[in-house]
Amino acid sequence: MHSTPARACGIDFGTSNSTVGWWRPDAEPLIALEGDDLTLPSVVFFNLEERRPVYGRQALAEYLEGYEGRLMRSLKSLLGSKLLKSETTVLGSAMPFKEILGLFIGTLKQRAEAQAGQAFEQVVLGRPVHFVDDDPAADREAADTLAGVAQALGFKEVSFQFEPIAAAFDYESRIAGEERVLIVDIGGGTSDFSLVRLSPERRQVDDRQADILATAGVHIGGTDFDKQLSLHGVMPLFGHGSRMKSEAPMPTSTHLNLATWHTINAVYAPASLRALQSMRYDIQDPTGIDRLFRLIEQRAGHWLAMQVEQGKIALTEAREHVIDLGRIEADLVAELTRERFESAIDPLLERIRRTVDELLTAAGLGSGDVDTVFFTGGSSAIPALRQGIARVLPNARHVEGDRFGSIGSGLAIEARKRYG
């Protein structure tokens, strides 16, 4: 075992939260990135009044305090999307989306180096099994883009490890015997799965390829669950599902944009507003669309998305949750239930269950051959998701990982192995 700290770090750039791991003897691997917090929410707020970008919890706080500016979240979702090659307006001028990624990842690097008291020139970046489903060329381009951003920030050597494999290495550091483990990593943007053979004896082996029995991923994550909860539980109050005088349903593009983190700003565009205004007099009951106008006027889209996200988190423990929408209209509330939420996300959960089934087949294993299911990622606590996996693997025991830290910890272990 090495007795000196590692030269390299691991970065888990997540859709919702990010961490940096650095292996040191007899120390926790995650580095504090915001005060004492080991996670940095993957958020940038371009504060127009003070003409500066801020990050993480501070970004959310300044936005909610009402500072004028531009909030951007779910930055990782840009990788593999067409948006990545375009630019957007921040602080009054055009900035490429790729540069915004660089600002955030550069902040992770700077804060980690300040805490560590050393520069990092080598990094192992976590990556989903698929940045883009069923499109190897786009997937490769997303990985190349992320590597290019890291190199431009001063990382001389950049390599990748699948996020669920990194989580597996974190779990392996605590087990006493050999286990076949299904790693279930439900992140903000993707759900990734790995079937791995783990044991204390294998920890020191450099090439672990033979122990990775199968990997799979699907582009479904916490932000997709938020979107469905928003569309089914909140957006009907804002006209989603309203009928036009022609009996056709009201066009849904505004509601879809509001329910999707990285498209919320689109609803404030003048063309979007004009399209809504032209619709106003053709709607049978304008109550919902009038609330929509008030929400847009207040630029409250990100605020609403945060309320929905908190609602999703609350429904992992409670059967019901009420969102107070009094800032839009007196006494207005959205009454959310776990039953409605589970019904809304069931098509997504079915794809996840099917992916786990296919993973078992690819590994040549039966449902009784898996010893342990290790859960990590912010949305892995959703009861219906766990129940679905338990139906596929009824005999496996469930182990709780650090929802936001397992991947970063595993990447620290991998970075030490690769770079010393």
Side-chain angles (χ1 to χ4, degrees):
M1 181 61 73
H2 294 239
S3 58
T4 54
R7 293 190 305 139
C9 68
I11 292 181
D12 174 24
F13 169 44
T15 302
S16 302
N17 291 278
S18 296
T19 59
V20 180
W22 175 44
W23 189 90
R24 291 150 287 167
D26 306 317
E28 285 298 314
L30 294 185
I31 296 176
L33 295 173
E34 192 171 16
D36 293 331
D37 287 300
L38 302 176
T39 61
L40 185 69
S42 304
V43 185
V44 184
F45 179 60
F46 293 94
N47 186 318
L48 193 58
E49 294 173 43
E50 299 182 8
R51 303 204 63 77
R52 59 181 169 80
V54 289
Y55 306 92
R57 292 166 190 81
Q58 185 187 353
L60 291 169
E62 290 192 10
Y63 170 77
L64 290 173
E65 280 167 27
Y67 281 92
E68 194 68 30
R70 174 86 185 269
L71 185 78
M72 299 189 74
R73 194 173 170 186
S74 296
L75 300 170
K76 189 178 180 180
S77 303
L78 293 167
L79 290 165
S81 81
K82 293 181 175 63
L83 277 176
L84 196 60
K85 290 179 179 168
S86 59
E87 50 189 29
T88 188
T89 303
V90 293
L91 304 181
S93 53
M95 183 181 285
F97 279 110
K98 196 185 293 188
E99 200 172 309
I100 294 169
L101 282 183
L103 282 175
F104 184 79
I105 296 170
T107 296
L108 292 176
K109 183 176 190 284
Q110 289 155 14
R111 292 187 184 190
E113 289 176 337
Q115 288 288 334
Q118 70 175 60
F120 292 117
E121 294 187 343
Q122 297 88 11
V123 64
V124 179
L125 294 169
R127 58 152 295 167
V129 175
H130 302 298
F131 280 108
V132 185
D133 290 343
D134 304 319
D135 189 342
D139 189 74
R140 216 168 23 252
E141 186 178 6
D144 290 347
T145 299
L146 186 53
V149 167
Q151 284 158 348
L153 292 167
F155 285 115
K156 291 177 181 170
E157 295 180 77
V158 178
S159 58
F160 287 100
Q161 180 56 274
F162 289 139
E163 289 155 358
I165 300 295
F169 293 155
D170 176 48
Y171 176 57
E172 188 177 49
S173 68
R174 301 193 290 279
I175 62 175
E178 181 167 313
E179 297 179 24
R180 280 181 179 148
V181 183
L182 171 66
I183 306 292
V184 175
D185 171 23
I186 313 293
T190 58
S191 293
D192 290 310
F193 309 92
S194 291
L195 268 168
V196 287
R197 187 189 295 109
L198 303 176
S199 76
E201 296 73 33
R202 289 181 162 84
R203 282 179 209 157
Q204 302 311 315
V205 177
D206 286 335
D207 184 359
R208 300 295 300 273
Q209 206 57 41
D211 292 331
I212 300 169
L213 307 177
T215 58
V218 62
H219 219 260
I220 293 169
T223 55
D224 300 288
F225 300 141
D226 294 347
K227 180 178 182 175
Q228 293 308 316
L229 183 58
S230 182
L231 289 172
H232 289 82
V234 179
M235 288 303 151
L237 294 170
F238 294 90
H240 184 43
S242 295
R243 292 275 158 190
M244 310 296 285
K245 288 173 181 170
S246 66
E247 291 300 332
M250 175 185 174
T252 59
S253 62
T254 302
H255 300 112
L256 285 168
N257 282 337
L258 276 174
T260 308
W261 272 105
H262 59 278
T263 56
I264 290 170
N265 286 302
V267 306
Y268 307 134
S272 173
L273 198 53
R274 282 196 298 274
L276 272 182
Q277 286 163 339
S278 69
M279 222 182 281
R280 163 71 172 72
Y281 298 102
D282 289 326
I283 285 183
Q284 292 180 14
D285 178 358
T287 307
I289 197 171
D290 286 344
R291 287 175 185 148
L292 191 55
F293 285 129
R294 285 197 290 279
L295 183 141
I296 292 169
E297 187 182 324
Q298 289 187 27
R299 296 178 83 85
H302 289 94
W303 170 82
L304 183 60
M306 285 180 219
Q307 306 309 305
V308 171
E309 183 182 33
Q310 287 305 312
K312 173 194 69 179
I313 293 166
L315 291 175
T316 63
E317 304 287 340
R319 307 290 314 182
E320 298 176 351
H321 178 75
V322 175
I323 297 178
D324 180 357
L325 298 168
R327 69 176 277 181
I328 307 297
E329 180 183 302
D331 303 322
L332 182 65
V333 296
E335 296 177 350
L336 306 179
T337 67
R338 187 187 290 177
E339 187 180 19
R340 180 185 291 176
F341 175 49
E342 290 179 352
S343 169
I345 65 172
D346 191 60
L348 302 178
L349 296 182
E350 177 55 36
R351 281 178 63 197
I352 286 172
R353 290 190 289 269
R354 206 162 56 237
T355 302
V356 173
D357 265 331
E358 290 164 0
L359 189 70
L360 285 173
T361 303
L365 297 178
S367 62
D369 295 330
V370 176
D371 302 304
T372 305
V373 182
F374 179 80
F375 289 99
T376 186
S379 287
S380 65
I382 292 172
L385 183 142
R386 295 195 170 203
Q387 289 154 14
I389 288 173
R391 285 200 294 276
V392 180
L393 299 168
N395 302 325
R397 69 192 185 105
H398 288 189
V399 172
E400 200 70 53
D402 176 343
R403 266 184 228 160
F404 300 108
S406 291
I407 294 168
S409 298
L411 291 171
I413 293 168
E414 185 72 353
R416 194 254 305 165
K417 266 191 189 170
R418 290 185 188 181
Y419 301 114

